[in-house]
Amino acid sequence: MTCNLALLAWALEPARRGWPVFPLRPGDKRPAGHAERLCPGTGRCADGHRKPEQRATTDHDLIMAAWSQHPYNIGIATGPAGLLVVDLDMPKPEEHEGAPGGAESLLALCERAGQTLPATYQVRTPSGGLHLYFTAPAGVRLGCTAGRLGRHIDTRGWGGYVVAPGSTTPHGTYTVTDETPVAPLPAWLADLLIERAKPDPHTVMTPVRDGTKAARTALERECAVIRAAGDHARNSTLHKSTCKVARFVAWGNISRTTVEEAIQAAGESTGLPAAECTTTIRSAMDWILTHATPREAA
């Protein structure tokens, strides 16, 4: 049995912040203990298998007992901690030189949305990636996502965990790079992470009932254009088509909700991530509505 006082101190730090922790295998990112398929159904699992999220604790004595026995790495159960952590990965070795990583993808997402992210607590991973910590919004149970916000961007909420600073793998140590207090997750980003029913890409769009005949015709035509766009032109086509139909919203001929829902479904049917569709559509819509002249908007 080996006690690593440094790891013990690092395990107590998240608990001090109110973030429940649980042991990871020494030198590894995987949870310690047995997997669900190997659960003996005894001891702490007598009433059913207890997953790491359920075992996570802020209890000082329990943490002392665990980390005094073994040099465990540290996992933070993000859901119970009230956190939403944005995980920005580096490009894979097999990707072409200059391929964007998670940080570049997040910057592009912010630019498309016309938004910025607040300074917040950050942790550098051994591979060179970043964990951006945010407090999750109240009343919303955000889970984990992989690639929804963009290439090499994952998020960790309920049902997930992050490796805490101080933990070490053969590739290096998780290190705090910004000790800024944890900022609330921006509302626009939270909105992109809320689970919504995905449209069936094979469903033919039903005729639009809301709006004038010209507006309905334009919307149906542009949705067809979007669905027919090639892989390399999907986002630009989505933007152009939204701009064309947004004129009718500015003129009061059709509701913004009707247009956005229809174009969102068309965009997702081409394989574009939901978040990318949403930011592109909102950016185009906001620009047209902001720049419509009084005569046009009349």
Side-chain angles (χ1 to χ4, degrees):
M1 293 186 292
T2 304
C3 175
N4 185 311
L5 293 178
L7 281 170
L8 173 58
W10 278 111
L12 290 169
E13 174 60 20
R16 183 186 65 80
R17 294 172 176 265
W19 302 341
V21 298
F22 60 91
L24 303 179
R25 298 180 187 183
D28 204 331
K29 299 190 294 183
R30 292 172 293 175
H34 60 262
E36 185 171 6
R37 59 186 174 82
L38 301 175
C39 183
T42 58
R44 68 188 181 197
C45 297
D47 296 325
H49 178 68
R50 297 190 69 197
K51 298 180 180 180
E53 185 175 86
Q54 298 167 309
R55 292 191 282 112
T57 182
T58 58
D59 187 285
H60 182 278
D61 292 337
L62 291 177
I63 294 170
M64 288 283 292
W67 271 268
S68 294
Q69 296 295 313
H70 295 286
Y72 291 120
N73 273 341
I74 308 127
I76 298 173
T78 44
L83 295 171
L84 191 290
V85 177
V86 178
D87 181 4
L88 306 176
D89 289 331
M90 298 294 289
K92 305 301 181 185
E94 62 271 18
E95 293 186 65
H96 65 82
E97 185 177 353
E104 291 77 18
S105 295
L106 183 60
L107 178 60
L109 175 65
C110 291
E111 290 177 347
R112 289 194 300 269
Q115 301 284 351
T116 58
L117 292 179
T120 194
Y121 185 81
Q122 296 184 21
V123 174
R124 176 77 63 181
T125 71
S127 66
L130 276 177
H131 290 169
L132 308 183
Y133 284 56
F134 296 97
T135 55
V140 179
R141 191 180 175 94
L142 297 177
C144 301
T145 67
R148 178 182 298 179
L149 296 180
R151 191 172 182 81
H152 296 309
I153 304 177
D154 298 335
T155 64
R156 298 288 179 262
W158 283 96
Y161 67 93
V162 289
V163 182
S167 300
T168 300
T169 72
H171 302 290
T173 302
Y174 288 77
T175 307
V176 178
T177 56
D178 191 333
E179 295 185 350
T180 298
V182 178
L185 182 70
W188 69 271
L189 200 55
D191 187 55
L192 297 178
L193 294 172
I194 295 174
E195 288 285 351
R196 294 181 175 84
K198 294 184 178 180
D200 182 349
H202 303 294
T203 300
V204 177
M205 180 180 161
T206 55
V208 180
R209 304 298 182 189
D210 177 22
T212 65
K213 182 177 181 180
R216 295 196 304 268
T217 300
L219 178 56
E220 292 171 1
R221 180 182 64 245
E222 294 306 322
C223 284
V225 170
I226 293 167
R227 290 194 295 269
D231 288 347
H232 299 296
R234 292 178 299 176
N235 192 282
S236 60
T237 301
L238 187 68
H239 188 276
K240 291 176 183 177
S241 292
T242 302
C243 286
K244 291 179 180 179
V245 185
R247 295 178 301 166
F248 292 95
V249 177
W251 297 336
N253 300 140
I254 194 169
S255 74
R256 176 170 182 163
T257 299
T258 297
V259 171
E260 290 186 340
E261 288 180 352
I263 293 184
Q264 178 80 23
E268 289 186 39
S269 74
T270 68
L272 282 173
E276 185 172 344
C277 291
T278 301
T279 53
T280 298
I281 292 167
R282 288 180 180 174
S283 174
M285 183 69 70
D286 289 344
W287 195 93
I288 292 296
L289 296 184
T290 300
H291 292 83
T293 66
R295 182 179 62 82
E296 289 177 323

